[in-house]
Amino acid sequence: MANRDEEQFLRLQAEAQAPYRGLRQFVYLAFALSGLAGAFIFATDLLAGDGNLRTGVNLLLQLGLVGAMTWLWRWEQRKGQRQREQIRRDRLK
């Protein structure tokens, strides 16, 4: 029980230090899902033979968006983990 309370304290302390982290992660997720939907549409256009160079460029753009949002999501996760570890170390001092 005490471990759970400590984890909750660390999470709340990290939330107080970076209050918009959850919002940013939601935006990253929404943009990544949008990019996946767009990539699916452009890929099916190319596979159907209806695409042209512009469709290929748009597909690459959508895949780049998904890659960037994935990288930002993971960066935000690592940053939050480091912050919680720092709070834990500071609390033990």
Side-chain angles (χ1 to χ4, degrees), residues 12-55:
L12 290 173
Q13 188 73 20
E15 178 80 21
Q17 291 179 7
Y20 297 110
R21 178 170 286 130
L23 178 63
R24 286 191 304 264
Q25 289 178 328
F26 174 77
V27 169
Y28 300 153
L29 179 64
F31 283 6
L33 291 176
S34 172
L36 280 174
F40 176 76
I41 298 297
F42 289 123
T44 55
D45 276 353
L46 285 177
L47 290 174
D50 295 337
N52 53 21
L53 179 62
R54 188 174 192 170
T55 304

Side-chain angles (χ1 to χ4, degrees), residues 67-85:
M69 292 301 111
T70 302
W71 181 81
L72 285 170
W73 172 274
R74 293 177 71 168
W75 178 70
E76 195 73 50
Q77 291 288 92
R78 287 189 304 265
K79 190 175 176 183
Q81 183 64 31
R82 284 193 306 263
Q83 184 181 27
R84 285 188 297 276
E85 289 170 3

